[in-house]
Amino acid sequence: MTAAVMAAVMVLPVLTGCGAAVIPSESSEETTVKELGPARAQDDYYRFINQERFDTAEFEYGEQSVEMAFDSKLIEEELNGIIEDVIAGDGYAKGSEEDIIKYAYESFMAYDFENEPIPDDLMAMIEEIDGVSSIDGLLEVDAKLVRDYDMDGLFYIYIDTDLFEPERRLISFSQISGILNTSFTDVRDYPYALDSIKEDTQVILSTRGYDKETAEKYGKELAYLAMDLYAETDLDIMEAEYGYDYVKVYSSAQIKEMLNNVDVDKYLSVIGIDASKADAFCLSDEKQLKALNSLLTEKNLNALKALELGNLYGQYSRYIAPHYPQLQGMVGRNYDSLHDQAIDEVRMGLKSETDPLYVERYYTPETDAALRGMCDDIRAGYRELISNADWLSEPTRKELLQKLENIVYVTGSNIKRHDNSKYTEVYGNNYYEFCRNYSKIAWRDLIAGLDEPVSRTDTIMEMQIFNACYDPSLNNITITVAITNAPFFDVNADYYTNLGGLGMVIAHEMGHAFDNNGILFNSKGEYDPSWIPDEDMKKLDERNEKAVRYFEDNFTVFGIYHVDGEQTLGENYADLGAMECITSLTKTKEDRINLFESYATIWCEMCTDETIIGLIAYDVHSPALIRVNAVLSTLEAFYETYGVSEGDGMYIAPEDRISRWY
């Protein structure tokens, strides 16, 4: 077992391990270790609060982290219990959530994936792709795959909120991130990544009876197409946490000019979109879309057919792979009981059906009232902080306050059951047909959104997911039912314990409205960096730089690996602003102690060495220990509460501390 990491922080580098923490000696001949003594709040608050949990933490085989604040398996068990109850019942209304769940379970149990022949319509699609004789024919097939088979298609079309006019939706071309199983970052990082595309293509075409030489030829052609597309792909967009700066809105005429090898109106019509209503399109990587268009020629037809086949095989591998020995690696063997597999299938695949049932069972009006009351308190805290931020101009503060007042909360109370009549034809004759019908209904619902007004209470996350999030266009905060579990939230717990738990999470999400990215959206949810006056933007940029330096210069893991201050700036700001907000709501030292202890508790986790090093390299969040200690080390109220003074591990010189609002 690789030693688990509790990162090195503050001025003194400290290495801690799984269970007992250790510090290497400086002997050149042999290395000895000694256990760290009990942590003091003034030196390492994170370990001070969580040491007992660290001492009893156990990694299960294959796990890379242990989250001790909350066992997410509880949510899985709760959902499994709901599904078990539903499948044990009967007499459900046709098209209801319960009826769909029960049918999905029973049809999965009855479906013999290993021995059932490839479904007729799926086999017909495979043959249709293989038999295509022109690019126009291929594009028509591609559109059918999007419409009827839950595929992304060649253009990765989606329906999304307009960043610049958030009251409407438009058609979005998502950036293509790779070809078959090879990502463009793999192409960048590994010299032989394109060989995988060639080899995958050979395997795919071998199932259609192509000889080795022909399959290799088309595999090479597809690899070259992938290289051409990669060369015109902006990887900065792909790897950006937020790609707002890259997004532009284009007219129908502009898109048709870019896609002059495509009958755009016909393509949209086949996938189910009325082309006459498609007057605006969203796009972030114009060069990539133009490059894709340039590849849609008869010369590349065979390679593109192989790509379509590969994508279809990947999407429907469980129905196709058992019939071809060369595809056996596409389907892993599951050793769980058939019943458990069916339960997992329903839980993972039918979240829209289980979600309202989960809310009905585990969310109460009392919890909702307490939660929304806490949200209002947090809003009041931000209102005071923003009002007193006299380093910003009055017009800017006024707009930020309006944005604050416009924030909407989305909770379990916003979840409603669906219209049963929309699902009366979902069932089909077997599990395959059910899944296809279900995805077709979901696609119809998605494209219908083009004609519907955007609601700011739309949920962008299922209530069974243990999380919360902020949407800058909708200017709303989604707080799931799952995260209203202890220790994050307990309707019967001390208020300030809840405030340091789920309250901190909510304040963090509200803080994203004002972080270095979210602040670029105005009070209407429109992405418009120009709303901020130049003088205020200059002050914000100066604070951004100081915050970057604060995290990079003062906090490390293992005393070696520095946090990337630029990469984590938005999340660090959300943490910092949130803590300033909720601390301002406390009245006594006891309130603050309850709040700080709860905050440290909810981020209690242990990770393997390689995991935490990887997180530092790629995660936009700072490691949990640093999220706690770095934020508290810059907060005057923490110094006062615990008597932190110069020489203590949590001490940062006053001139080096940062603030989001003060």
Side-chain angles (χ1 to χ4, degrees):
M1 169 66 70
T2 304
V5 174
M6 289 296 102
V9 298
M10 300 305 126
V11 182
L12 301 176
V14 177
L15 172 65
T16 67
C18 191
V22 297
I23 299 179
S25 75
E26 297 184 1
S27 169
S28 60
E29 296 182 359
E30 64 178 76
T31 299
T32 60
V33 299
K34 68 175 182 179
E35 293 187 3
L36 290 174
R40 297 191 317 140
Q42 297 88 340
D43 293 323
D44 183 346
Y45 192 73
Y46 184 75
R47 189 164 69 89
F48 171 73
I49 294 299
N50 294 310
Q51 186 64 63
E52 288 186 15
R53 297 180 184 88
F54 298 152
D55 291 342
T56 59
E58 294 184 2
F59 282 78
E60 292 187 13
Y61 181 78
E63 284 190 344
Q64 295 181 320
S65 64
V66 181
E67 298 175 358
M68 288 159 282
F70 179 79
D71 186 356
S72 57
K73 291 180 181 178
L74 171 64
I75 309 300
E76 180 179 319
E77 292 169 359
E78 290 174 341
L79 287 164
N80 287 353
I82 289 172
I83 297 167
E84 295 273 10
D85 290 346
V86 168
I87 63 179
D90 54 30
Y92 303 123
K94 200 74 170 174
S96 67
E97 285 84 355
E98 289 91 345
D99 204 46
I100 292 172
I101 290 170
K102 186 175 177 68
Y103 180 83
Y105 170 84
E106 291 178 345
S107 59
F108 180 90
M109 293 285 289
Y111 201 93
D112 186 348
F113 288 94
E114 291 192 7
N115 298 303
E116 283 280 352
I118 297 174
D120 290 343
D121 70 291
L122 189 55
M123 196 69 229
M125 284 304 306
I126 292 171
E127 292 173 352
E128 186 173 357
I129 294 170
D130 199 15
V132 163
S133 59
S134 68
I135 287 295
D136 286 345
L138 183 72
L139 290 173
E140 186 167 355
V141 172
D142 185 75
K144 291 179 185 177
L145 293 173
V146 173
R147 182 190 68 200
D148 297 336
Y149 288 85
D150 196 27
M151 303 281 287
D152 291 322
L154 292 171
F155 302 105
Y156 285 69
I157 283 177
Y158 195 71
I159 309 301
D160 212 348
T161 304
D162 185 347
L163 275 178
F164 309 99
E165 297 182 39
E167 68 279 359
R168 72 169 182 173
R169 296 184 178 90
L170 41 65
I171 299 169
S172 173
F173 289 92
S174 300
Q175 190 187 42
I176 300 170
S177 60
I179 297 294
L180 296 180
N181 297 313
T182 302
S183 72
F184 287 149
T185 53
D186 287 341
V187 174
R188 178 193 64 192
D189 296 338
Y190 303 108
Y192 303 106
L194 290 173
D195 288 344
S196 297
I197 296 175
K198 182 184 71 173
E199 292 161 4
D200 288 345
T201 303
Q202 290 177 254
V203 171
I204 292 161
L205 294 181
S206 72
T207 68
R208 301 298 303 151
Y210 287 75
D211 61 69
K212 182 179 179 181
E213 183 179 342
T214 303
E216 184 175 357
K217 176 176 180 290
Y218 295 158
K220 286 182 179 178
E221 289 179 4
L222 184 56
Y224 284 132
L225 294 188
M227 175 59 80
D228 290 342
L229 196 58
Y230 160 77
E232 298 301 318
T233 295
D234 190 334
L235 294 186
D236 288 342
I237 299 174
M238 190 178 301
E239 297 182 330
E241 180 188 7
Y242 304 106
Y244 307 138
D245 288 340
Y246 304 99
V247 174
K248 295 180 181 178
V249 174
Y250 298 81
S251 68
S252 176
Q254 289 173 310
I255 291 297
K256 289 176 181 177
E257 185 178 352
M258 289 183 211
L259 296 175
N260 56 20
N261 287 331
V262 181
D263 185 337
V264 175
D265 287 349
K266 179 181 178 182
Y267 187 89
L268 293 176
S269 177
V270 174
I271 67 175
I273 295 176
D274 184 347
S276 67
K277 298 179 180 178
D279 58 351
F281 296 79
C282 176
L283 175 61
S284 60
D285 196 340
E286 181 178 333
K287 286 181 63 180
Q288 187 193 69
L289 187 64
K290 288 179 177 178
L292 176 61
N293 175 72
S294 71
L295 301 177
L296 298 175
T297 64
E298 305 301 327
K299 173 187 174 183
N300 298 322
L301 180 61
N302 289 312
L304 293 170
K305 285 164 59 175
L307 174 61
E308 291 280 26
L309 281 172
N311 289 338
L312 185 62
Y313 280 16
Q315 185 81 353
Y316 288 90
S317 59
R318 58 171 30 175
Y319 304 101
I320 299 172
H323 303 281
Y324 298 105
Q326 21 330 21
L327 301 181
Q328 293 302 309
M330 296 180 71
V331 181
R333 184 164 295 276
N334 191 326
Y335 295 98
D336 292 340
S337 70
L338 186 59
H339 168 77
D340 287 346
Q341 290 181 49
I343 294 292
D344 288 346
E345 188 83 7
V346 171
R347 189 184 71 253
M348 299 302 295
L350 297 179
K351 289 185 172 69
S352 294
E353 313 312 313
T354 58
D355 219 39
L357 307 186
Y358 180 75
V359 171
E360 289 168 9
R361 181 171 295 190
Y362 292 106
Y363 198 63
T364 66
E366 292 77 17
T367 297
D368 192 65
L371 185 59
R372 288 178 179 273
M374 179 177 288
C375 289
D376 286 339
D377 292 344
I378 293 167
R379 193 202 305 265
Y382 272 114
R383 189 181 299 126
E384 183 174 354
L385 288 174
I386 296 169
S387 297
N388 293 331
D390 54 11
W391 51 275
L392 288 169
S393 67
E394 177 61 27
T396 298
R397 278 180 285 156
K398 184 177 180 181
E399 180 71 3
L400 291 177
L401 287 169
Q402 185 59 58
K403 183 176 184 178
L404 176 68
E405 298 309 319
N406 289 349
I407 291 176
V408 172
Y409 321 133
V410 180
T411 70
S413 65
N414 295 98
I415 300 298
K416 309 298 179 189
R417 283 177 173 252
H418 65 225
D419 178 357
N420 293 354
S421 65
K422 289 168 48 177
Y423 291 85
T424 54
E425 299 179 1
V426 73
Y427 301 94
N429 295 312
N430 54 43
Y431 187 69
Y432 164 78
E433 291 186 10
F434 163 78
C435 290
R436 263 204 63 207
N437 292 339
Y438 190 78
S439 66
K440 287 165 71 174
I441 293 171
W443 175 251
R444 288 203 303 266
D445 278 352
L446 182 65
I447 61 178
L450 274 173
D451 298 322
E452 298 173 357
V454 175
S455 169
R456 294 180 59 229
T457 57
D458 284 347
T459 55
I460 59 174
M461 180 183 294
E462 289 90 5
M463 289 291 141
Q464 60 195 263
I465 296 175
F466 194 89
N467 210 341
C469 64
Y470 173 74
D471 186 304
S473 293
L474 298 177
N475 196 25
N476 69 10
I477 297 171
T478 299
I479 308 152
T480 70
V481 170
I483 204 170
T484 59
N485 281 280
F488 284 75
F489 187 83
D490 182 346
V491 72
N492 298 312
D494 169 78
Y495 176 81
Y496 294 99
T497 297
N498 281 336
L499 190 62
L502 183 51
M504 177 62 188
V505 175
I506 295 167
H508 171 99
E509 298 306 331
M510 201 173 292
H512 275 310
F514 314 108
D515 70 17
N516 57 306
N517 292 301
I519 203 169
L520 303 179
F521 290 76
N522 63 26
S523 63
K524 298 177 183 177
E526 299 166 344
Y527 180 66
D528 179 20
S530 68
W531 82 262
I532 304 174
D534 290 343
E535 189 60 32
D536 285 332
M537 183 60 79
K538 180 180 179 182
K539 293 176 182 176
L540 288 165
D541 287 341
E542 289 171 352
R543 282 177 168 247
N544 290 350
E545 180 57 31
K546 187 172 182 180
V548 168
R549 296 268 58 84
Y550 174 77
F551 280 88
E552 289 191 353
D553 294 346
N554 294 294
F555 307 99
T556 59
V557 174
F558 301 132
I560 300 172
Y561 300 100
H562 289 258
V563 176
D564 186 329
E566 290 280 0
Q567 177 177 290
T568 59
L569 181 59
E571 295 297 331
N572 290 337
Y573 261 156
D575 281 341
L576 180 58
M579 183 53 70
E580 290 178 339
C581 173
I582 62 175
T583 303
S584 73
L585 301 177
T586 61
K587 299 178 178 65
T588 67
K589 180 178 179 179
E590 182 182 0
D591 296 342
R592 293 194 295 273
I593 289 174
N594 288 341
L595 185 146
F596 294 146
E597 288 185 357
S598 184
Y599 173 53
T601 298
I602 64 172
W603 295 120
C604 181
E605 67 174 352
M606 296 184 78
C607 300
T608 60
D609 297 0
E610 62 183 18
T611 297
I612 201 166
I613 292 170
L615 290 174
I616 288 173
Y618 300 109
D619 197 351
V620 296
H621 303 83
S622 295
L625 180 146
I626 294 178
R627 291 186 75 167
V628 173
N629 284 358
V631 168
L632 295 181
S633 287
T634 196
L635 200 70
E636 185 61 33
F638 181 79
Y639 285 74
E640 294 173 358
T641 301
Y642 288 98
V644 178
S645 59
E646 188 170 1
D648 292 333
M650 294 287 290
Y651 181 84
I652 297 289
E655 64 273 15
D656 294 327
R657 298 173 199 169
I658 59 171
S659 169
R660 185 55 180 153
W661 295 110
Y662 295 117

